[in-house]
Amino acid sequence: MVKQVYSTDNAEVHTYGVNPTEIPIDGLLKVARLNGTVSPVIGLSDLSPVSGGFPNGGTFVSEEYVAANAVGMDINCGFSLSELDIRSARFHKNGKLNERKIRRLFEDVEKRIPIHTSRVRPKLEGISMQEVLYHGVQALPSEYISPEDIAQIEYQGSLDGDFDLDERTLKLASQQFPTIGGGNHFIDFVYVDKIFDQEATRNLDIDPKKVYVLIHTGSKGVGFEVNKHYNELFKQHPEVQTDQALSFLQKDHDLAIKYLRALNAAANFAFAS
């Protein structure tokens, strides 16, 4: 993968597998020129400009500024991989998949964990959505998550969250919480077909004879609402603007502090999901 380095009067920009004649890197360079931006600003091979905000596939760290639209709406989207008490041989034999058994498995999952547009939603008892936004997985009853699971999550699945958005967003959170979400969110069942690194497999405690569930989800509509709400406020009170869609505030600005706590609330929602 080709690495390219671009210098500015502040931070450098490093890109990996990015052809600047095909994919503009202006958004990376603008942020790199800001005081407080830590060198380097990174652009990866999936770099793509967006209509509002920092490019997808890019990342940067600022010691001085906060920008809601640099984080965007995909707040704390992530993956989890869990081992199931199911042997992989149940679904394949001699290299051939048993499509009937796999189809039945997915049909059962769709009944229990619907997508966000489904009209059928499981009822989750004993969960306060306000507490989830404030405390993440720590707000979940013990029947939904174990101490061992919590220990495997970054920050033990709980950040210092606050939530000052409207009741409509709180209702949206309650509706979407028991779903996988939409967009590129998914649940998949996987098993090891071929091992390329024996040591890594042992370190990760991967059992080639078992089936694993791979889940990708996140803050869903809550992340969208947090970004939309605070990006509009940031645009009304910009201290620095690299372009019309990207407004920065000093990290100790009252509005920036409120945004970071709302961002944590959306991250807590994603952790608990």
Side-chain angles (χ1 to χ4, degrees), residues 130 163 165-172:
Q130 194 79 55
F163 189 79
L165 302 181
D166 55 27
E167 285 297 317
R168 184 186 66 83
T169 304
L170 190 60
K171 182 179 179 180
L172 176 69

Side-chain angles (χ1 to χ4, degrees), residues 3 11 20 30 73 78 83 97 142 156 163 201 237 262-263 272-273:
K3 174 184 176 181
K30 288 176 180 178
M73 66 186 71
E83 181 183 299
L97 294 176
S142 58
Q156 285 69 59
F163 189 79
T201 303
H237 308 279
L263 183 148
S273 290

Side-chain angles (χ1 to χ4, degrees), residues 30-83:
K30 288 176 180 178
V31 170
R33 295 187 183 104
L34 281 179
N35 290 334
T37 298
V38 177
S39 189
V41 175
I42 301 293
L44 300 178
S45 57
D46 62 344
L47 190 74
S48 59
V50 294
S51 58
F54 190 67
N56 290 329
T59 187
F60 74 95
V61 174
S62 175
E63 295 179 324
E64 295 185 18
Y65 293 104
V66 174
N69 232 21
V71 176
M73 66 186 71
D74 292 330
I75 298 171
N76 202 23
C77 284
F79 292 85
S80 69
L81 181 70
S82 302
E83 181 183 299

Side-chain angles (χ1 to χ4, degrees), residues 166-258:
D166 55 27
E167 285 297 317
R168 184 186 66 83
T169 304
L170 190 60
K171 182 179 179 180
L172 176 69
S174 298
Q175 292 172 339
Q176 292 193 346
F177 184 70
T179 76
I180 192 65
N184 64 350
H185 294 179
F186 65 82
I187 297 176
D188 205 356
F189 295 91
V190 297
Y191 66 91
V192 175
D193 182 55
K194 184 177 181 179
I195 296 175
F196 294 90
D197 189 326
Q198 293 284 354
E199 183 178 0
T201 303
R202 286 193 298 270
N203 291 340
L204 293 170
D205 197 24
I206 297 294
D207 185 346
K209 296 181 181 180
K210 290 291 185 68
V211 173
Y212 291 80
V213 58
L214 179 65
I215 300 174
H216 171 50
T217 188
S219 53
K220 305 173 227 182
V222 175
F224 176 85
E225 293 295 334
V226 166
N227 177 68
K228 177 183 176 182
H229 177 78
Y230 280 97
N231 187 51
E232 289 301 317
L233 293 177
F234 272 46
K235 286 196 296 186
Q236 294 171 23
H237 308 279
E239 294 182 315
V240 175
Q241 280 188 299
T242 55
D243 59 46
Q244 191 173 7
L246 204 54
S247 303
F248 291 80
L249 294 176
Q250 291 280 348
K251 64 181 182 181
D252 57 357
H253 191 287
D254 287 347
L255 186 56
I257 293 171
K258 285 185 177 180

Side-chain angles (χ1 to χ4, degrees), residues 150-171:
I150 292 174
Q152 297 297 317
I153 305 174
E154 298 94 328
Y155 307 104
Q156 285 69 59
S158 180
L159 297 170
D160 183 19
D162 198 356
F163 189 79
D164 63 354
L165 302 181
D166 55 27
E167 285 297 317
R168 184 186 66 83
T169 304
L170 190 60
K171 182 179 179 180

